[in-house]
Amino acid sequence: MSQTKEFGKWRSFFWPVHSYELKKVLPMFLMFFFISFNYTILRDTKDTLIVTAAGSGAEAIPFLKLWGVLPMAVIVMIIYSKLSNKLSKPALFYTTLIPFIAFFALFATVLYPARDFLHPNELCDKLQAILPSGFMGLIAIIRNWTFSLFYILAELWGSVALSLLFWGFANDIMKVTEAKRFYSLLGLGANLALLVSGPAIILVSNIRSKLPAGVDAWGVSLNYLMSMVVISGICIMGIYAWINRNVLTDPRFYNPEEKVVKKAKTKMSMKDSFVFLGKSKYIGLLAILVIAYGISINIVEVTWKSQLKLQYPNPNDYSVFMGKFSICTGIITVFMMLFVGGNVIRKFGWGAGALITPVVLLVTGLLFFSFVLFKGNLTGIMSMLGTSPLALAVIIGAIQNIMSKSSKYSLFDPTKEMAYIPLDPESKVKGKAAIDVVGARLGKSGGSLLQQLLILALGSISAMTPYIAVILLVIIGAWIISAKALNKLFIEKTEEMDAEAQTAKVNISQKTETPATT
């Protein structure tokens, strides 16, 4: 008997899902996989398009993030919030997702082949001759506007499809007790997608290398890649429809009568929505977490990639290193999700899970910045070890990024999504739209703006590194304080929600037992 209990204990540690629950968990896992598969394909494609485009380069990316992605994120949030007042949840899901899939298909088949006709090269050549060289990035966005639009929508895919649609749907159909067991496991889908999409890109690259001379090799690759994206998008919608038909009609997994709503849902204008969200301390603290992560990871990554470019100036060497980096990230994150993420949240609570990511980012980030700042003093020691300070800085930066991303995927994302569950429907829908779409983009754009200002003032990334390290310390400090405050509110709201659900069950039971009167 004791052996059976011990086996059950270890089974729940590694696989906290009952057999009958696979009907709910497996399709959600697959939906997460396909969304993340598209995210990886689009992320690699958008960077290649912009950096290698005629008259463009990496300097266009900060301009795109600040002046392209952020405004578009605001527009998407406004449209989504308005549609949420008019459409049913399934209609809202399809209406939001289909335009993305349609654009990526249109880009590969129409916009990219017609790029020479659509791009205003002559106008941009004149602007380039008149304006200072510092405007090259902005002019590149206009010159290659179809590529810029692709970049913007590819960037928004992660916020809209993953954070807004998938996690919004999961939070709506999951209980807190289920989220503690399932959310880390669902995140495995994202990392398995990372391991699958990498070889898929390599396969396309091999096909491209075998094409005869005179054929637009990148255009052929783009067709293959966007075909994968479209097929994956169709699978996402098919799985969503199947869950609505077969899971949400099963009372074991979803009982809408248990979703207690104190007040009838009100129709709020966009202005009223922002006022409503601004008055919510809970939403405000959650927004700080998301924005702090965006700024922190952005400012660390830029410094690391500047070191990486110095170490691997050849694009092929750079690409090979990033491929290995992605594989290592996927492997470590899978380990974190299986053995760390869900178990930490279940055993130590939401607060412990939410605090690990900022602490990891703080420790590894400061270690990386310290090495970058003082690497000049280590040349003799490094030469004795058969390496260089620059190579070691790249490795330490890679470790820092891997640990930050793995803790983000296995702990930060699940705890962030769990935080929405106790909210009322109005706060959940509009708060999530504002935080995940605008807040996440504001964090990254804020990091880009901060870097632009420091580079303009100090002249280089290396010169701004000490200031970035101090800023990182301040931002993560605010992140940790906000996470602790939010943990108290989360516990209170969860207890309220459990009490309301129990009351609803009692009321349903009494209605069932009371005989009808005539």
Side-chain angles (χ1 to χ4, degrees), residues 225-369:
L225 292 171
M226 293 306 102
S227 295
M228 294 179 191
V229 170
V230 171
I231 293 171
S232 182
I234 294 172
C235 291
I236 293 166
M237 291 185 285
I239 294 170
Y240 178 81
W242 189 89
I243 293 174
N244 276 276
R245 287 195 306 266
N246 298 282
V247 176
L248 301 190
T249 55
D250 190 332
R252 293 179 300 172
F253 304 120
Y254 184 74
N255 184 358
E257 292 185 0
E258 291 183 8
K259 297 286 182 176
V260 180
V261 181
K262 293 181 178 180
K263 300 179 181 179
K265 185 179 178 181
T266 58
K267 307 295 183 182
M268 299 174 68
S269 67
M270 202 61 229
K271 179 181 178 181
D272 292 337
S273 297
F274 274 114
V275 172
F276 170 73
L277 295 176
K279 292 180 178 178
S280 173
K281 181 180 178 182
Y282 190 98
I283 293 293
L285 290 170
L286 192 52
I288 291 174
L289 267 59
V290 174
I291 294 172
Y293 172 81
I295 295 176
S296 301
I297 198 68
N298 186 267
I299 61 178
V300 174
E301 278 188 340
V302 168
T303 305
W304 174 57
K305 288 179 180 178
S306 71
Q307 301 293 306
L308 187 59
K309 186 176 181 180
L310 293 174
Q311 178 69 14
Y312 299 105
N314 183 281
N316 291 328
D317 296 337
Y318 188 100
S319 179
V320 169
F321 182 88
M322 289 305 295
K324 294 177 181 178
F325 168 78
S326 296
I327 292 172
C328 291
T329 302
I331 293 172
I332 297 298
T333 305
V334 168
F335 173 83
M336 289 282 289
M337 287 182 167
L338 284 174
F339 303 109
V340 180
N343 293 308
V344 167
I345 297 172
R346 288 196 301 273
K347 291 192 173 186
F348 301 104
W350 186 93
L355 284 170
I356 288 179
T357 302
V359 171
V360 167
L361 216 160
L362 177 64
V363 173
T364 58
L366 291 181
L367 176 64
F368 168 68
F369 280 123

Side-chain angles (χ1 to χ4, degrees), residues 28-47:
M28 293 295 291
F29 177 91
L30 291 174
M31 186 188 296
F32 204 168
F33 171 87
F34 284 116
I35 291 174
S36 300
F37 177 86
N38 276 1
Y39 174 76
T40 306
I41 296 290
L42 294 171
R43 180 190 61 192
D44 293 343
T45 303
K46 69 180 175 62
D47 289 335

Side-chain angles (χ1 to χ4, degrees), residues 442-457:
L442 185 62
K444 292 185 178 181
S445 299
S448 297
L449 178 60
L450 185 63
Q451 291 155 19
Q452 290 177 39
L453 294 174
L454 287 173
I455 289 174
L456 288 173

Side-chain angles (χ1 to χ4, degrees), residues 47 86 126 142 167 223 230-231 284 298 311 404 425 480:
D47 289 335
K86 299 178 181 180
K126 293 178 181 179
I142 301 171
W167 284 117
N223 275 307
V230 171
I231 293 171
N298 186 267
Q311 178 69 14
S404 298
I480 292 173

Side-chain angles (χ1 to χ4, degrees), residues 24-36 80 93 97 157-174 182-183 185-187 189-190 236 239-240 243 417 432 436:
K24 186 175 187 178
V25 175
L26 188 57
M28 293 295 291
F29 177 91
L30 291 174
M31 186 188 296
F32 204 168
F33 171 87
F34 284 116
I35 291 174
S36 300
Y80 183 86
F93 185 94
L97 191 66
W157 174 266
S159 297
V160 174
L162 187 57
S163 297
L164 194 58
L165 296 182
F166 176 80
W167 284 117
F169 180 53
N171 294 338
D172 193 47
I173 67 173
M174 295 283 186
F182 298 163
Y183 275 13
L185 292 176
L186 292 179
I236 293 166
I239 294 170
Y240 178 81
I243 293 174
E417 300 306 327
K432 188 168 182 58
D436 286 354

